[in-house]
């Protein structure tokens, strides 16, 4: 029986291994993590991450061929294939701070694999790490190998949160990179055989190690670039009276461009886009390519500009001050159908409003108060470090309250900001909400999900990204 072990029971490791276990009943899959509470949650009825469809998959396999354990060393030593899916945060200090990936967690996992291994292993790089990391890991493993043969593969994950199970069931492609030696090719085949249980062969792409690693960074950079492109257009639309949804529709009809990933928003978030682009920028700079580095840096700059622009719209529309005013924040996760808040635009928008002394009342169906408080008191780039290394909430958090209902959040508020496109925000009783708000009542829709005409009819002053402006907003400056 083939044994797989995955180090890191997070957003990538957990769902990916659950699907491998479901699709390959004859393979034994163990998911291990140094975090004991995380493993306990995976073994309980309340999984540590919210992902549609995940509960069913885990329930079907857990205890049969899928196990969650904090006995990291035991499962690693027994495995034939070890996936490494640990966090790779952006470095906050030292060389490459603010750009390069911090490989502390990866390095310690690699050293542990070398320490406990008694048989040959395939080690699979699953978390996004900068190009050429596999080479570094290979060096650690081979220099500490005690005669054991390690083959390193890069198998980047392309799942998106909120649709992870569907993405894993029917991936556009699976990418497996390895050495071009006979042993490397044998390892590639072993991993390909795992995916071949449910993925058509023509969707499994085999490449060399470096191509696989770079493809992941490139794919995320291209995706993020589309969003920054449409967001840049949204600013121009607001200035000229065009409607960004109409522009995206017309542009996306070109089959060379395609219709997906062209929704203007308050900005992209998530654990990958910014981090991967920063990595790409760093790699370009290290390779003497400043023009290329600056090109990609601009994608992040436009994303930051979009968030700042949104905050400025709010403040300038509300008589240039939000001090002491209650603002309802609907949605805190970085997108719908996830409880994940890493790099969510809500953090920057809320911090911007708090800086202007607003009183925030936040509601998200999946994000806990503890998480929101931690996010708002954290420094940039600290979000991907373990909880125990993060600062506790300072007293300024008195300006923030977290409630469990959109109606409670909006009661007596001066304005509403929609920051995540949760379906339930589309069908709220906006008349009831309006009746319970201060007047004039504002809606700032950062996801373009509300029916603008209907809300204006009720009496709201509405701002939607990239849409023709309300009379109220026309002469107010939106750019810092
Ligand atoms: C992304 C990649 O899609 C995935 O392939 C990779 O493995 C990890 O990074 P994820 O971050 O989970 O996945 O979600 P994604 O759906 O890509 O959304 C990222 C951000 O972009 C979200 O904040 C989302 O709201 C925003 N977005 C997306 C837009 O603002 N407009 C769009 O048109 C699409
Ligand atoms: P991702 O979104 O890439 O899956 P997460 O932060 O959700 O990232 O998950 C990474 C997991 O890896 C965390 O649960 C963390 O505790 C775990 N981890 C980090 N270093 C190690 C290690 N050396 N051994 C085992 N688990 C680790």
């Amino acid at each position: 029986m083939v044994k797989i072990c995955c180090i890191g029971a997070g957003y990538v490791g957990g769902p990916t291994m659950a699907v491998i276990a479901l699709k390959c009943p004859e393979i034994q899959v163990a998911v291990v993590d140094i975090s004991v509470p995380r493993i306990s949650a995976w073994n309980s009825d309340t999984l540590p991450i919210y992902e549609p469809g995940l509960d069913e998959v885990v329930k079907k396999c857990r205890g049969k061929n899928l196990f969650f354990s904090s006995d990291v060393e035991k499962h690693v030593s027994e495995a034939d294939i070890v996936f490494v899916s640990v966090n790779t945060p952006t470095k906050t200090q030292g060389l490459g701070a603010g750009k390069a990936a911090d490989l502390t967690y990866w390095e310690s996992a690699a050293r542990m694999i070398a320490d406990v291994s008694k048989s040959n292993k395939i080690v699979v790089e699953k978390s996004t790490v900068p190009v050429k990391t596999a080479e570094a890991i290979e060096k650690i493993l081979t220099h500490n190998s005690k005669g054991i043969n390690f083959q390193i593969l890069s198998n980047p994950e392309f799942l998106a949160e909120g649709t992870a199970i569907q993405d894993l069931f029917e991936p556009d492609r699976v990418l497996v990179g390895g050495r071009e030696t006979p042993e490397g090719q044998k390892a590639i085949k072993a991993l390909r055989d795992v995916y071949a249980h449910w993925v058509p062969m023509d969707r499994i792409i085999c490449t060399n190690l470096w191509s696989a690693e770079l493809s992941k960074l490139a794919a995320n950079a291209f995706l993020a670039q589309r969003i920054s492109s449409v967001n840049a257009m949204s600013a121009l639309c607001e200035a000229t009276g065009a409607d960004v949804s109409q522009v995206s529709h017309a542009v996306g009809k070109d089959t060379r461009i395609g219709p997906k990933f062209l929704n203007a928003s308050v900005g992209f978030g998530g654990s990958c886009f910014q981090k991967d682009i920063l990595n790409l920028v760093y790699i370009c700079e290290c390779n003497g390519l400043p023009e290329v580095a600056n090109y990609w840096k601009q994608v992040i700059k436009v994303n930051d500009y979009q968030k700042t622009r949104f905050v400025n719209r709010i403040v300038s529309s509300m008589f240039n001050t939000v001090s002491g005013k209650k603002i309802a924040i609907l949605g805190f996760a970085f997108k719908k159908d996830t409880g994940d808040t890493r790099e969510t635009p809500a953090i920057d928008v809320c911090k911007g409003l708090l800086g202007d002394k607003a009183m925030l009342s936040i509601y998200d169906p999946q994000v806990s108060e503890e998480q929101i408080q931690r996010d708002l008191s954290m420094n940039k780039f600290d979000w991907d470090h373990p909880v125990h290394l993060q600062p506790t909430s300072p007293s300024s958090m008195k300006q923030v309250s977290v409630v469990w209902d959109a109606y409670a959040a909006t009661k007596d508020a001066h304005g509403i900001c929609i920051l995540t496109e949760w379906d339930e925000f589309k069908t709220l009783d906006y008349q009831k909400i309006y009746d319970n708000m201060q007047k004039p009542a504002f809606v700032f829709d950062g996801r373009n999900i509300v029916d603008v005409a209907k809300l204006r009819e009720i009496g709201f002053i509405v701002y939607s990204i990239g849409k023709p402006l309300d009379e109220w907003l026309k002469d107010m400056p939106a750019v810092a």
Side-chain angles (χ1 to χ4, degrees):
M1 188 188 222
V2 175
K3 286 189 176 175
I4 289 180
C5 173
C6 175
I7 307 176
Y11 285 92
V12 172
T16 312
M17 292 304 126
V19 169
I20 290 182
L22 182 77
K23 298 290 186 182
C24 313
E26 80 286 8
I27 295 180
Q28 188 181 307
V29 182
V31 189
V32 298
D33 203 295
I34 37 173
S35 164
V36 175
R38 208 161 211 192
I39 290 298
S40 308
W42 278 108
N43 282 319
S44 75
D45 285 339
T46 315
L47 301 183
I49 61 176
Y50 173 71
E51 192 60 63
L54 177 63
D55 280 32
E56 288 78 8
V57 176
V58 170
K59 271 187 199 135
K60 275 189 194 148
C61 313
R62 197 170 54 191
K64 292 188 187 121
N65 66 331
L66 175 67
F67 302 91
F68 295 93
S69 166
S70 45
D71 194 346
V72 180
E73 299 188 355
K74 171 179 175 283
H75 289 283
V76 170
S77 76
E78 289 173 357
D80 306 295
I81 304 178
V82 180
F83 286 81
V84 185
S85 188
V86 301
N87 7 10
T88 49
T90 304
K91 276 183 86 168
T92 50
Q93 291 174 349
L95 191 65
K99 275 183 271 187
D102 180 345
L103 294 182
T104 316
Y105 303 101
W106 238 104
E107 186 173 336
S108 93
R111 288 186 188 279
M112 184 271 299
I113 296 171
D115 274 355
V116 305
S117 292
K118 293 184 195 73
S119 55
N120 294 346
K121 293 197 191 317
I122 297 173
V123 177
V124 186
E125 182 189 317
K126 196 68 177 161
S127 26
T128 311
V129 273
V131 182
K132 301 262 170 182
T133 301
E135 192 172 39
I137 302 309
E138 199 171 43
K139 281 187 184 135
I140 294 175
L141 289 173
T142 48
H143 280 87
N144 296 281
S145 71
K146 298 168 285 189
I148 288 165
N149 182 268
F150 291 106
Q151 279 303 317
I152 316 295
L153 298 179
S154 169
N155 171 221
E157 186 47 65
F158 292 101
L159 67 81
E161 288 175 33
T163 54
I165 299 301
Q166 190 50 36
D167 293 345
L168 287 162
F169 280 177
E170 281 178 40
D172 287 344
R173 78 305 211 182
V174 167
L175 192 51
V176 182
R179 285 279 180 219
E180 280 147 330
T181 58
E183 298 79 25
Q185 294 301 305
K186 208 172 138 206
I188 289 179
K189 186 179 174 308
L191 187 56
R192 204 182 56 189
D193 288 348
V194 172
Y195 285 107
H197 281 78
W198 78 97
V199 181
M201 272 312 213
D202 60 352
R203 291 201 182 187
I204 306 179
I205 305 172
C206 300
T207 66
N208 72 31
L209 269 181
W210 322 136
S211 300
E213 288 183 298
L214 183 57
S215 300
K216 172 69 195 244
L217 296 186
N220 277 343
F222 278 43
L223 289 169
Q225 181 207 41
R226 274 174 83 92
I227 303 169
S228 278
S229 298
V230 77
N231 283 344
M233 284 300 162
S234 75
L236 186 58
C237 287
E238 286 167 32
T240 56
D243 179 329
V244 76
S245 303
Q246 295 175 351
V247 174
S248 323
H249 180 70
V251 169
K253 278 286 178 195
D254 187 321
T255 50
R256 293 167 301 177
I257 296 171
K260 293 184 186 166
F261 248 71
L262 284 178
N263 294 325
S265 68
V266 59
F268 60 74
S271 70
C272 287
F273 284 175
Q274 170 157 308
K275 189 175 74 179
D276 286 357
I277 293 176
L278 288 171
N279 266 320
L280 196 59
V281 166
Y282 185 65
I283 293 164
C284 292
E285 284 172 352
C286 291
N287 282 285
L289 301 169
E291 287 81 0
V292 185
N294 287 334
Y295 174 78
W296 289 110
K297 226 185 259 177
Q298 199 59 28
V299 172
I300 294 180
K301 283 192 186 162
V302 168
N303 199 45
D304 288 337
Y305 165 78
Q306 189 76 345
K307 291 180 271 189
T308 309
R309 218 164 67 73
F310 191 77
V311 172
N312 291 348
R313 277 279 186 220
I314 299 169
V315 179
S316 66
S317 333
M318 298 175 88
F319 314 102
N320 255 334
T321 176
V322 288
S323 178
K325 290 179 186 164
K326 176 173 171 179
I327 311 257
I329 304 291
L330 299 188
F332 199 83
F334 81 97
K335 63 187 278 196
K336 75 170 180 179
D337 291 338
T338 179
D340 195 356
T341 60
R342 290 178 291 179
E343 288 293 336
T344 174
I347 295 177
D348 287 335
V349 171
C350 288
K351 280 186 174 173
L353 293 172
L354 289 171
D356 233 289
K357 299 202 172 61
M359 307 296 289
L360 303 183
S361 185
I362 305 177
Y363 164 65
D364 186 290
Q366 284 297 332
V367 185
S368 69
E369 171 162 15
E370 191 198 358
Q371 184 63 48
I372 291 172
Q373 298 278 5
R374 198 183 308 129
D375 286 335
L376 292 179
S377 55
M378 231 165 23
N379 293 325
K380 211 168 167 57
F381 300 130
D382 277 346
W383 49 268
D384 206 7
H385 286 278
V387 170
H388 66 271
L389 295 178
Q390 292 167 9
T392 49
S393 311
S395 54
S396 74
M397 290 303 115
K398 282 186 189 130
Q399 281 168 258
V400 176
S401 67
V402 178
V403 294
W404 279 100
D405 172 39
Y407 296 100
T410 51
K411 191 170 179 340
D412 295 324
H414 290 258
I416 302 174
C417 299
I418 300 175
L419 300 183
T420 313
E421 72 281 20
W422 286 103
D423 289 337
E424 64 178 74
F425 300 153
K426 294 179 191 163
T427 52
L428 291 171
D429 181 346
Y430 281 99
Q431 180 67 57
K432 179 175 155 191
I433 288 176
Y434 179 79
D435 293 342
N436 287 323
M437 283 177 69
Q438 307 277 346
K439 308 294 171 336
F442 296 84
V443 170
F444 302 93
D445 183 1
R447 297 289 182 170
N448 286 351
I449 57 165
V450 300
D451 182 338
V452 179
K454 205 166 141 197
L455 260 62
R456 285 195 181 134
E457 213 171 279
I458 292 174
F460 282 106
I461 295 163
V462 186
Y463 166 70
S464 284
I465 305 254
K467 302 272 182 171
L469 291 178
D470 229 296
E471 278 308 315
W472 184 284
L473 296 152
K474 269 194 178 140
D475 298 318
M476 304 199 176
V479 184

